[in-house]
Amino acid sequence: MSLKHAILSALLERPSSGLELARRFDRSIGFFWTATHQQIYRELARLEDNGLIRAIPAERPAQGQRKEYEVLSGGRAELTAWVALTDDPRPAREPLLLRLRAAAVLGSGSGDTLVAELERHLELHRQQLSEYEDIEERDFPEPMDAAAEPDRLRHLVLQAGIGRERFWIAWLDQALASLRE
């Protein structure tokens, strides 16, 4: 996935300014695809230069007014083509796992230093799971099979995040139990 496709998806959901997009990335899109505000603004400029989006003309132009962007037909075609692509799963790049591997190589006692870090990660994953579950309760109150397709797809994305957090919590609990033996 690229930032370009994340922004096109977000703008098709709702035309937005750069600031609104950045806030949406911070609140929801960022749960599975992160970007800094600078990256978002640079990508908006590229998308506009390439004719994939445009700034919506303001009813009354004013200096310093935020530009709102919408997706043009070329942007929709780009996103449609991208959705049709196939991708193989990518290997995980998780620094915590690499540190555990390094501790194994270092030998006796080095794993003890990671317990606090594992506990910290466990708490962060518990907090993230709680946030996802709150979003699920708030935004998806009806059973998935009763929801319209766009909501089912959004719910599936959220459920992937919930599943990932549950995996990490279970794994971290297991790792901590093992290290404490």
Side-chain angles (χ1 to χ4, degrees), residues 16-58:
S16 302
S17 68
L19 180 60
E20 289 168 319
L21 278 173
R23 287 180 180 154
R24 287 170 65 196
F25 268 78
D26 290 344
R27 284 191 324 265
S28 62
I29 298 166
F31 296 150
F32 58 89
W33 191 263
T34 59
T36 67
H37 293 207
Q38 285 181 334
Q39 289 171 319
I40 291 168
Y41 283 104
R42 278 194 306 264
E43 191 60 39
L44 282 170
R46 275 193 289 270
L47 290 168
E48 190 173 26
D49 289 346
N50 291 328
L52 301 179
I53 65 171
R54 73 174 181 135
I56 300 170

Side-chain angles (χ1 to χ4, degrees), residues 4-5 8 12 51-52 71-85:
K4 169 173 65 174
H5 299 108
L8 288 171
L12 278 172
L52 301 179
V71 177
L72 298 173
S73 60
R76 182 178 281 277
E78 166 67 28
L79 194 57
T80 299
W82 179 77
V83 166
L85 294 176

Side-chain angles (χ1 to χ4, degrees), residues 10-181:
L11 290 175
L12 278 172
E13 287 177 335
R14 181 175 70 241
S16 302
S17 68
L19 180 60
E20 289 168 319
L21 278 173
R23 287 180 180 154
R24 287 170 65 196
F25 268 78
D26 290 344
R27 284 191 324 265
S28 62
I29 298 166
F31 296 150
F32 58 89
W33 191 263
T34 59
T36 67
H37 293 207
Q38 285 181 334
Q39 289 171 319
I40 291 168
Y41 283 104
R42 278 194 306 264
E43 191 60 39
L44 282 170
R46 275 193 289 270
L47 290 168
E48 190 173 26
D49 289 346
N50 291 328
L52 301 179
I53 65 171
R54 73 174 181 135
I56 300 170
E59 291 178 21
R60 286 187 230 138
Q63 189 173 9
Q65 183 176 5
R66 282 190 260 174
K67 288 191 215 177
E68 257 198 12
Y69 295 93
E70 67 182 353
V71 177
L72 298 173
S73 60
R76 182 178 281 277
E78 166 67 28
L79 194 57
T80 299
W82 179 77
V83 166
L85 294 176
T86 59
D87 284 318
D88 292 335
R90 292 194 174 136
R93 293 180 67 177
E94 178 53 56
L96 181 63
L97 298 178
L98 186 56
R99 283 201 293 284
L100 286 175
R101 182 74 182 234
V105 172
L106 291 171
S108 179
S110 59
D112 296 339
T113 62
L114 290 173
V115 168
E117 182 66 354
L118 292 173
E119 288 171 340
R120 188 179 76 81
H121 275 251
L122 179 59
E123 181 55 31
L124 291 171
H125 284 289
R126 285 181 175 151
Q127 289 171 9
Q128 189 65 69
L129 176 60
S130 177
E131 188 174 337
Y132 286 168
E133 288 173 338
D134 289 347
I135 291 169
E136 184 175 41
E137 187 176 314
R138 181 192 70 218
D139 294 350
F140 302 102
E142 62 187 55
M144 192 179 303
D145 59 352
E149 183 178 5
D151 282 339
R152 282 196 310 261
L153 295 173
R154 287 183 193 100
H155 196 177
L156 285 168
V157 171
L158 180 60
Q159 286 182 327
I162 289 170
R164 184 182 64 214
E165 296 308 321
R166 287 181 178 157
F167 161 79
W168 278 109
I169 290 167
W171 182 85
L172 285 160
D173 280 334
Q174 177 186 359
L176 284 164
S178 178
L179 289 174
R180 289 179 178 137
E181 285 181 0

